[in-house]
Amino acid sequence: MYSIPESFESKRLLIRAPIWNDGMKVNEAVKESKEELRPWMPWAKNIPTVEESEVSIRRSRLQFLERSDLRLLLFLKGTDELVGSSGLHRIDWQARKFEIGYWVRTSYAKQGYITEAVEAISSFAINELQANRIEIRCDDRNERSARVAERLGFNLEGTLRNEKCDVDGSLRNTMIFSRVRGVEFF
């Protein structure tokens, strides 16, 4: 089993693994942000109950302990205010490949928190987990998400056309950005 710290920090954020009873905080943030999340996040189509959010947190906690998915919650340092969520997903431990996903609470949008979090999580993956490849995937219409990847030096490798169904069921294109050991880092 890989030794992975439960938390680490960036300049303004405490970035940590989910723990029991985080469901209420996540639920509040999702409810506040539903209009901004719905176009991009299939899980935001129907806003979960507090109980459903807690079940999701507990599932994420178990996945973190199993090292099968590393969901991370973003808190404003020195507070219990949830700024958003991120994590390392679709993990391939043999290849040391990770995908970073993220969303920000509406009241914290456009303040650089996600860029800061993704930069810290990328550094964590490179330095602590010896990542060889880090990906960011987003809908090709999600300009704000793509700008995060571009600002942090991720390279657009390509766009997969008609790759996934959108939240409304129509086909969408997915942009794939990456950073690769030996090219973009180290």
Side-chain angles (χ1 to χ4, degrees):
M1 195 57 70
Y2 300 98
S3 176
I4 299 175
E6 290 282 320
S7 67
F8 53 96
E9 296 181 359
S10 66
K11 182 178 177 183
R12 301 178 290 171
L13 298 170
L14 169 66
I15 302 166
R16 71 160 171 79
I19 57 174
W20 264 225
N21 299 318
D22 278 338
M24 175 71 83
K25 291 178 186 89
V26 171
N27 190 269
E28 290 170 359
V30 168
K31 282 181 181 174
E32 175 189 315
S33 310
K34 64 184 178 227
E35 295 310 314
E36 289 78 16
L37 294 174
R38 278 188 176 140
W40 319 116
M41 305 292 189
W43 53 261
K45 185 176 181 180
N46 298 309
I47 301 303
T49 64
V50 172
E51 293 79 16
E52 289 168 335
S53 293
E54 183 61 27
V55 167
S56 175
I57 283 294
R58 290 178 183 221
R59 186 177 305 114
S60 293
R61 177 71 188 160
L62 294 174
Q63 291 169 334
F64 189 93
L65 293 172
E66 293 170 346
R67 308 304 191 230
S68 61
D69 187 88
L70 304 177
R71 182 177 181 179
L72 297 165
L73 300 179
L74 315 174
F75 290 91
L76 204 55
K77 266 189 194 176
T79 74
D80 66 346
E81 188 70 20
L82 182 71
V83 171
S85 184
S86 188
L88 295 165
H89 314 294
R90 294 183 180 87
I91 298 170
D92 180 336
W93 285 108
Q94 184 176 2
R96 297 283 181 176
K97 179 179 84 81
F98 305 89
E99 180 182 328
I100 298 178
Y102 44 84
W103 62 267
V104 66
R105 185 179 195 148
T106 299
S107 54
Y108 289 97
K110 300 180 183 177
Q111 298 175 52
Y113 286 108
I114 291 299
T115 300
E116 180 179 328
V118 172
E119 182 174 40
I121 293 166
S122 295
S123 292
F124 173 79
I126 293 164
N127 298 317
E128 299 291 325
L129 305 179
Q130 290 74 52
N132 290 313
R133 177 180 175 85
I134 304 169
E135 292 181 355
I136 293 175
R137 293 173 176 239
C138 66
D139 187 302
D140 70 347
R141 297 166 297 158
N142 191 342
E143 295 173 9
R144 287 174 50 196
S145 187
R147 282 197 306 268
V148 169
E150 292 163 353
R151 270 193 298 274
L152 295 174
F154 282 74
N155 290 307
L156 177 62
E157 290 189 339
T159 302
L160 302 177
R161 298 175 298 155
N162 292 342
E163 192 260 341
K164 286 185 108 172
C165 283
D166 198 349
V167 293
D168 67 4
S170 62
L171 290 172
R172 71 159 215 205
N173 300 331
T174 303
M175 298 170 76
I176 302 176
F177 295 88
S178 73
R179 289 179 66 195
V180 179
R181 183 177 295 278
V183 180
E184 287 89 21
F185 54 92
F186 291 76

